[in-house]
Amino acid sequence: MVYFDTLPTTASSSRSSSPPHPNTPDTRPTFSTRSSFRRTGTLKIERYVGQQAITISREMSPTLPEHNVPEFRAPTFPLSHASRQKPRKWPLVFRFIKGSIHHVIIVPITLHALFTTLIVYLDQSLHFSLGLPSSIVPSLSIVVGLMLVFRNSSSYDRYWGGRQGIQRIVSIVRNLTRSFLICGPLEKDGDREETEKTVRCLVAILYAVKNYLRGNWGIAGYDPAYNDLLPRGMKGHESEGLGMPLELCCVIERYIKRGVNRGAFNAPQSAMLSGQVNSLLDAFGSMETIKLTPIPVCHQIHQKQVLALYCCVLPFCLVGELGWWSIPVIVMVCFTLYGIEGIGEELEDPFGDDKNDIRMDEIIEDVRAEVMVMLRGFNSGEGIYYQGE
């Protein structure tokens, strides 16, 4: 939770020549050189560690001026979207809908509960026992445990690999943005517009990668933030089999080549920039591999069959000792085992928009905000930051 304590603002700023009254305390901001600030104050960030609220207060930095920021635009802070977390009204142990996997496991749990009820009823009604020796359970438990451990570890590796891939692309976009704004060609008319267009394409690559992994082809026409970043008139060739990330990387590579021809980038620098583009495509390729390489079907079939077999054999081992109490025991066992298996399925494809997927929308929005601030400074002619010799 983020909120702001704004300082009192009056008509007196660096543009006002009327000083305060000698007997009236001056409540104006102390950094008087910040004439372009329209909103000042203290940034307060409220975080929750468990159920304990921790508030961090920070004075808004007076180092950089605002650049054509709308008057009513609320201040922000880095990673404001990706790090945003709502306070929990209830402990996680009482959560059954948002973020849980209960909707995935409710059907098998219900079926096993009904099957256990049938076994107990037949055992109580017939003149002979349906019970089996409990020595069968340990041997099956080892197999089920090993398969569930492998399933969950491989699924989380895919989740973590996808998160690393998106972060690698974010780091490359930041590095290329810094290099293009500082070292890009600015001698001829139109160079500044070309540099800005190329930097916007860098941010558009993040949107293109997200839409590619989610299968949202041609989504730029429905997403104004994405559409504004693309070069004017660019439609893409996704209907012909060409992904937008590769096409946008060609735009970046052409800009690097033109910068070399105009002497803006020397040979080692151009090689480094091209290497960054190659690394971006490598990271995209690793994420594409995760998307297109699911867990083998044979492993999924055998795991579900072994899990179902274990939960079907278990009632026969418990009915002789527990009787009708076998039903709640089986429900708890199935809830535990099928829940672990359901978590593996939930993490297998981490690029969607579910509660447990990677927060790609928020990560990309934070990067877009960073780059837009740098572009505003670049266009306003702040040579101390973006055009140094």
Side-chain angles (χ1 to χ4, degrees):
M1 183 181 301
V2 181
Y3 53 95
F4 302 90
D5 290 342
T6 56
L7 294 177
T9 55
T10 61
S12 61
S13 63
S14 60
R15 301 176 183 176
S16 177
S17 58
S18 58
H21 192 273
N23 298 327
T24 303
D26 189 1
T27 60
R28 292 178 298 176
T30 56
F31 36 90
S32 57
T33 58
R34 303 291 296 117
S35 59
S36 60
F37 258 67
R38 298 185 179 181
R39 183 177 295 192
T40 56
T42 303
L43 173 64
K44 292 186 178 181
I45 307 173
E46 186 173 296
R47 298 303 181 107
Y48 285 82
V49 179
Q51 299 300 317
Q52 181 181 3
I54 299 177
T55 302
I56 303 174
S57 300
R58 302 177 184 172
E59 293 295 331
M60 292 178 58
S61 173
T63 306
L64 295 176
E66 293 178 347
H67 315 287
N68 301 325
V69 181
E71 185 173 358
F72 298 103
R73 177 179 178 271
T76 182
F77 61 95
L79 304 180
S80 60
H81 295 84
S83 62
R84 179 176 178 267
Q85 291 184 355
K86 295 181 180 179
R88 298 191 178 108
K89 297 180 180 179
W90 296 93
L92 292 179
V93 70
F94 298 118
R95 180 178 293 183
F96 298 98
I97 300 177
K98 292 183 178 180
S100 67
I101 43 87
H102 296 153
H103 63 283
V104 179
I105 64 177
I106 186 65
V107 173
I109 291 177
T110 304
L111 293 177
H112 282 291
L114 294 176
F115 178 76
T116 305
T117 304
L118 177 62
I119 297 301
V120 175
Y121 173 76
L122 294 177
D123 183 77
Q124 299 289 336
S125 301
L126 299 178
H127 297 289
F128 59 91
S129 176
L130 296 178
L132 293 176
S134 58
S135 59
I136 302 176
V137 176
S139 57
L140 289 176
S141 300
I142 296 175
V143 178
V144 173
L146 290 175
M147 297 195 71
L148 291 178
V149 167
F150 173 78
R151 183 74 165 91
N152 263 26
S153 61
S154 60
S155 296
Y156 189 77
D157 286 342
R158 296 164 62 87
Y159 183 91
W160 182 244
R163 183 61 184 90
Q164 285 182 316
I166 190 65
Q167 190 59 43
R168 284 177 60 192
I169 296 179
V170 167
S171 299
I172 292 171
V173 168
R174 289 169 173 168
N175 288 332
L176 290 178
T177 299
R178 169 179 52 84
S179 298
F180 291 167
L181 293 180
I182 295 178
C183 306
L186 294 174
E187 289 78 12
K188 297 182 179 180
D189 296 337
D191 285 347
R192 184 179 295 273
E193 290 76 9
E194 184 180 6
T195 300
E196 181 179 359
K197 181 192 73 173
T198 307
V199 171
R200 287 178 176 271
C201 284
L202 288 172
V203 184
I205 290 176
L206 290 168
Y207 285 89
V209 169
K210 178 190 69 174
N211 293 332
Y212 184 95
L213 295 173
R214 292 179 178 178
N216 298 329
W217 315 120
I219 201 66
Y222 306 96
D223 189 350
Y226 179 24
N227 193 39
D228 293 343
L229 296 171
L230 295 175
R232 183 175 301 176
M234 186 175 185
K235 300 297 183 181
H237 298 81
E238 294 172 332
S239 60
E240 303 174 20
L242 176 61
M244 186 65 78
L246 179 59
E247 193 168 358
L248 290 173
C249 284
C250 293
V251 176
I252 306 302
E253 195 70 36
R254 284 196 297 268
Y255 175 81
I256 296 174
K257 183 177 180 181
R258 284 193 292 267
V260 173
N261 295 335
R262 296 176 186 178
F265 304 131
N266 53 34
Q269 192 174 18
S270 64
M272 182 270 295
L273 295 175
S274 296
Q276 292 277 346
V277 178
N278 294 337
S279 299
L280 190 151
L281 287 175
D282 289 341
F284 168 62
S286 64
M287 298 169 68
E288 188 180 32
T289 302
I290 295 174
K291 176 69 177 181
L292 300 178
T293 311
I295 301 296
V297 178
C298 61
H299 183 274
Q300 297 185 41
I301 293 175
H302 189 65
Q303 175 180 293
K304 291 184 179 296
Q305 290 176 347
V306 170
L307 191 56
L309 176 63
Y310 177 80
C311 292
C312 287
V313 171
L314 195 58
F316 293 95
C317 300
L318 301 179
V319 67
E321 299 180 5
L322 301 181
W324 289 103
W325 283 101
S326 301
I327 300 174
V329 172
I330 293 298
V331 169
M332 289 187 293
V333 172
C334 292
F335 176 81
T336 303
L337 298 181
Y338 278 99
I340 297 174
E341 200 262 345
I343 292 173
E345 289 185 359
E346 191 78 9
L347 300 181
E348 185 176 348
D349 183 7
F351 304 119
D353 52 2
D354 294 337
K355 188 74 173 180
N356 296 307
D357 290 328
I358 299 173
R359 305 178 66 179
M360 298 182 66
D361 296 302
E362 290 80 2
I363 295 171
I364 293 173
E365 179 60 26
D366 287 333
V367 178
R368 189 193 66 82
E370 289 180 357
V371 175
M372 291 302 105
V373 171
M374 297 176 71
L375 280 178
R376 285 197 296 267
F378 178 74
N379 291 326
S380 63
E382 288 191 27
I384 185 173
Y385 298 107
Y386 303 106
Q387 304 169 31
E389 296 295 336

